Amino acid sequence: MFDSAQLQGADLRHVDFRGTWLRQANLSNARMAGVQFGELPHLEQDAAVELCEYSPDGKTIAVISNSRVINVYSTTTCECLCTLSDHDKAVSSIMYSPDGNRLFSGSQDATLRLWDIKSGECLKVLSGHSKPITSIAHSPLGDQIASASHDMTARIWDAETGDYLHTLTGHTGSVCSVKYSPHGHQIVSASEDCTVRLWDGETRECSRILIGHTKGAQMVAYSPKGDQVVSISEDQTALLWDTMTGECRHVFAYERTKHCSVAFSLRSFSPFVAFSPKGDQVATVSQDGLVRLWDTRTGVRSNALVGHGSGVRHVAYSRRGDLIATASYDNTVRLWDTTTGVQHQTLTGHSNNVSSVMFSPKDDQIASTSEDETMRLWDVRSGASRHVLSGHNSSVWKVSCSPKGDQIATCGKSKKAHLWDVKTGSYHTLHHYMVVNTIVYSPRGDLVATGSSDCSVWLWNARSGAFVQKFGRHRGKVTLVAFSPQGDQIASASHDKTVRIWDVVSRECCSTLEGHEDYVSGVVYSPSGHQVASWSWDGTVRLWDAQTGSCSHRFTGLTLWPGGVAYSPQGHHIASACMDGTVRLWDVTTGECHLDFNDKSKGGKSITYSPKGDQLVASSMDGSIQFWDTQTGKCAQSLVLHDDWVNRTVYSPQGDMLATASYDKTVRIWNVASGECRATIQDFQGAIGDIAWIEASSQISSGSFDKTGRLWDVETGTCQYILADHTTPSRTLQGDQVASASWDFTVTLWNLATGECLGPLNAYQSRVVSLVYSPFGSLIVTGSMDKTVRLRDTGTMDCVNTLDERKKLTEKSEHRDVSILPLHTLEASRGCEMDGASMRGWP
């Protein structure tokens, strides 16, 4: 074993490192052609190891065996970090939370358990199933958990609280597998009753029953784009289904061999079933030792991987899709090239059959589990290590720019929104009681409105971040809010099937727009402000008079994605993008369909007018966009821009450039006239939720599911700021120091000039939820869920005073330069009292 070997620039061609462990070696610029890397130290267990799971960052790995115990190891040191052992029977499935701090486990004792990885504590027992758990799955946003059971049901749970939400009933046999679609709009389940069922992700109603297998369906997986599902069965077939129509596209049949598992590459969706990054290939394995690769477009077998001496038990693609790893009853793991089918390596070391195999998130390691009671880590290839600094504690799915371009607003899957200063990167935090779904600036940029799952719309001062007003409540979560062009009204759309119009000055509800029969996805004002358009999951768009609230037109037969409606710049027409691929232009005066742009081969995702209104851009689920002429209805050009859904398109203020954001984790900048790609921004670790062009500048902002907001220079494609929220940050007035509070029970101080970490402040017994510096920076005050408020000296790091539940905040202290804490800190430290005057104005 060699620690920190300095091999940069070395000629390592065809060197055999399989008997050597290089830990943290520097291999930059080394010549690596033909180099062979081997196994890292293996981990011994006390029973046959059935399954392992990498954390999202690849730093830890959880291992289960035939016992009730889950062990969590460091992938760097192989040290056992914690042992989770509260289940009464064997653990059947495990899964990390998206942030990697928690682990979910399903067991034959019919319960799910939620674990804290750092402490090893069982946070919650999820009870409700009456028979063993067979499968668990995370929703893409990480807010829900689905579990399948032998009790013939699947259940939906809140991933944060562990609360039961819903039961999916209808199967007449054991439910063997359950998965969320990549974008969370759908759930699929496979059952011993020989059927596969598709469920609506919002209503949780069964939308399709897929019938085709003659024996029990054992496993299902979505393609990366979510347009296909593959199911495998005891009838020795794998069936490929269209998720929109329910049609069986292809049958992958086996005549004399028993099918074991299927993989569509992108390991993140399931340990056994995954699609290739492009969704163009399916890998199947069987007991004859062959791995078959199938073309998903034609259904024809494109290749067969021959080499194992016994049945192949498991298969996994690398995240890049260039390699396949297979686990076999011949006690080996093998690596294959997905294009040529050539075998790269045979990894030997297990003394019994290998039960599972998986790639680490960075593709630099392979983990394999075996009935020899070991889990082994294998080095796949060399590559410089990369540390990604991020801080948002949830996905960022909405970005909005102020009219002057000096500020950016972001929100995501958390109870907070942020207002960022474009020049400095400093920000204000806006707090709701539940997830903030939408945020928008007023036309003058002095106010910001937010809509939340707490059913309310709140108004904020954009400069200071101060709370201004809370409007009345909807009866369902607020999905979208919009200011009128004059700034005197706010319209809010909600899951209570209504749109409400609010007066910004009087703060009263002017009218409630009723008529939709399902969730209202969005709302937008016409350019004049006299009309409001709303669209709903009931398949309709409605036009309303903004003053009277009366419905003037109703466009029917539309199956719309949120964001699929836009007014023309002049306000004469409204465009709608549909899931069936059609784009329609409607006359807002007559209500008649003016033009029908039909492209039914591509499902529509979003639609955007050019600044002049002469062009319409529609994005699709296949990664392409279409440019339509609004006068003739002809498609000017169609470009395949991305490898996955194009989630958002936005023109530059001058209309000469177009920015596109995709689930393929990239943002691209295009020249509208030539169709040339000017820049590709690809430093994201998650899908892009939203982008916005900053007015009168060459900058765009982005929000991503990797928990960051970012500010980019369009000309160079370089990132100027990473807008990352370390739970609750604060900095001194002099700007020389910043502190961040965290749910890991610590506060950390940083020197802004040098980037040096000044040290963590410990001694908290629970999550630290808020902090603030004193005016002169000599003290820092923190609020924690351990029911204490603490005063810290920023020079010595010592705690100089603790205000617990037996003391009042108003109690005098010898330290006088202490600023007033925000109320949310005091709420977290329940027991500290506050005078009523300082509570005024907080919602």
Side-chain angles (χ1 to χ4, degrees), residues 153-167:
T153 70
R155 286 181 173 243
I156 310 298
W157 313 82
D158 187 290
E160 181 67 27
T161 64
D163 294 339
Y164 162 78
L165 299 177
H166 194 77
T167 301

Side-chain angles (χ1 to χ4, degrees), residues 611-640:
K612 295 180 180 178
D614 57 339
Q615 202 173 61
L616 199 62
V617 173
S619 65
S620 302
M621 293 187 292
D622 63 359
S624 69
I625 63 171
Q626 294 76 44
F627 292 84
W628 300 93
D629 188 297
T630 56
Q631 298 300 316
T632 65
K634 293 182 179 180
C635 182
Q637 60 178 330
S638 179
L639 304 175
V640 178

